Amino acid sequence: MSKAIIFTEPGGPEVLRLADLPDPQAGPGEVRVRVRAAGVQPFDVAVVEGWVPPNADPSWPRIPGNEYAGVIDQVGEGVTGFAVGDEVLGFGLMNAYREHVAVPADHVTAKPAAMPWEVAGGFTAAAQTAHIALEEMRVGAGDTVLVHGAAGAVGGVAVQLARLWGATTVIGAAREAQHDYLRSLGAVPLAYGDGFADRVRALAPGGVDTALDGVGGAVLDVTMELVKDPARVITLVDHGRAADLGARTTPPKRSAARLAELADLYAQGKLAFHVRETFPLERAADAQRSYSAGGIRGKIVLTVD
Ligand SMILES: NC(=O)c1ccc[n+]([C@@H]2O[C@H](COP(=O)([O-])OP(=O)(O)OC[C@H]3O[C@@H](n4cnc5c(N)ncnc54)[C@H](OP(=O)(O)O)[C@@H]3O)[C@@H](O)[C@H]2O)c1
């Protein structure tokens, strides 16, 4: 038996509770990971409120969490390239707020020795989302890129990758308190709110080539006015309206190879990843409360002793 955070009805963070569940077993092609850290995502908050993601098991009880890092403690039949004791980080669909997860072996990659557990646990989803989005936006040399939600988990990685891929200017939209942080990542910070479009035009008189929208609604509407080619706008939020506006969403292209490339950038010191706060697994409800309070810089992560 081992610890898991479960909920048996939709609601706010108060429905989350600690339970002892039978350990999952690594089936063919799977590894079992003894989790040391797991990230808290906006996705998880929606799941606890009752949203069932496509392809997720809708039965009760449910366990939130799509990203984790830990030590392999069981290797399923047919798995090559991993052994008990390997330190890994990885992705999945639900079930990561727990002490043990059994996942397909191609959903994990080696954790760099220099990557702390709390970074590894919260790294996967945001880093891969940013990477996939920028690939779809065709960010490259000379581009002027606009990133909304730039101080958030996805936005912080997107800013840095855009610079690494040759963007000349990356405008990062965030509240004033985050501006020094954004400068440290290589962005030109810009406050969101009234007059935003005019401030962008003043900063980028030649126009914005491509944009990542991590906010949606009115922010997406303004973005469509600012970017010449609508197909170079990616929204992470407003999926329902994207097609009508000519904007795009991120395709499901997470992979261990992509994650390994990003982990390697971290290990080389080329990609910073900020963890704002950690909570022990038992306090998952407090972690979600803290997330929902806003003012997020980087990531909130659960740790499992
Ligand atoms: N994490 C993932 O892997 C993933 C994957 C797919 C999609 N998404 C979606 O992408 C969005 C961003 O994800 P995330 O994990 O980066 O969330 P996050 O860490 O909560 O970051 C969101 C950021 O947006 C800022 N923000 C709020 N309103 C803004 C505005 N009008 N202009 C600019 N910034 C604003 C927030 O700052 P303040 O609170 O200080 O205003 C916060 O820093 C979420 O909607 C999420 O559901 C995330």
Side-chain angles (χ1 to χ4, degrees):
M1 303 287 277
S2 56
K3 290 182 288 187
I5 295 293
I6 65 166
F7 62 109
T8 52
E9 58 179 333
E14 70 285 349
V15 300
L16 295 172
R17 64 184 173 85
L18 187 66
D20 262 332
L21 295 185
D23 291 337
Q25 303 297 312
E30 292 185 336
V31 292
R32 188 175 70 187
V33 178
R34 166 57 171 88
V35 174
R36 296 289 307 271
V40 173
Q41 292 181 264
F43 189 99
D44 306 343
V45 174
V47 162
V48 175
E49 285 169 350
W51 176 59
V52 180
N55 304 321
D57 177 0
S59 63
W60 299 97
R62 297 178 190 157
I63 302 174
N66 306 306
E67 57 183 357
Y68 50 85
V71 182
I72 291 179
D73 72 350
Q74 199 180 59
V75 175
E77 192 190 319
V79 172
T80 55
F82 289 108
V84 169
D86 285 354
E87 297 185 348
V88 295
L89 67 160
F91 54 101
L93 181 61
M94 314 272 283
N95 278 320
Y97 286 18
R98 63 183 303 179
E99 208 172 337
H100 287 99
V101 289
V103 289
D106 64 0
H107 283 30
V108 301
T109 192
K111 182 185 84 64
M115 185 182 258
W117 283 116
E118 65 270 22
V119 170
F123 185 79
T124 296
Q128 293 219 69
T129 300
H131 194 278
I132 293 165
L134 264 61
E135 206 172 76
E136 298 294 314
M137 288 153 63
R138 292 179 282 112
V139 170
D143 276 342
T144 294
V145 182
L146 174 61
V147 177
H148 296 284
V154 177
V157 175
V159 163
Q160 297 174 80
L161 286 180
R163 292 304 307 274
L164 283 171
W165 294 0
T168 311
T169 306
V170 181
I171 301 171
R175 66 175 73 196
E176 194 97 27
Q178 312 283 21
H179 286 190
D180 283 345
Y181 169 64
L182 288 188
R183 279 186 202 98
S184 78
L185 301 180
V188 178
L190 198 62
Y192 59 80
D194 288 348
F196 179 75
D198 290 339
R199 291 196 293 283
V200 172
R201 289 190 187 100
L203 266 182
V208 173
D209 298 299
T210 178
L212 176 61
D213 164 37
V215 180
V219 165
L220 178 58
D221 292 325
V222 169
T223 305
M224 301 314 297
E225 290 168 22
L226 290 166
V227 178
K228 286 163 266 182
D229 178 0
R232 294 190 73 191
V233 175
I234 290 274
T235 179
L236 300 174
V237 185
D238 232 332
H239 297 113
R241 289 199 308 140
D244 286 347
L245 294 170
R248 296 169 51 238
T249 57
T250 46
K253 286 187 173 176
R254 291 183 186 179
S255 72
R258 191 184 300 275
L259 185 55
E261 180 187 332
L262 288 156
D264 191 46
L265 286 176
Y266 180 91
Q268 291 178 49
K270 293 181 176 169
L271 183 62
F273 195 80
H274 183 72
V275 174
R276 182 185 88 167
E277 217 174 353
T278 61
F279 291 84
L281 179 70
E282 293 78 355
R283 292 186 58 211
D286 288 336
Q288 289 212 345
R289 281 184 195 102
S290 179
Y291 174 79
S292 298
I296 294 290
R297 173 186 302 180
K299 194 78 196 180
I300 293 175
V301 175
L302 301 173
T303 56
V304 192
D305 289 334

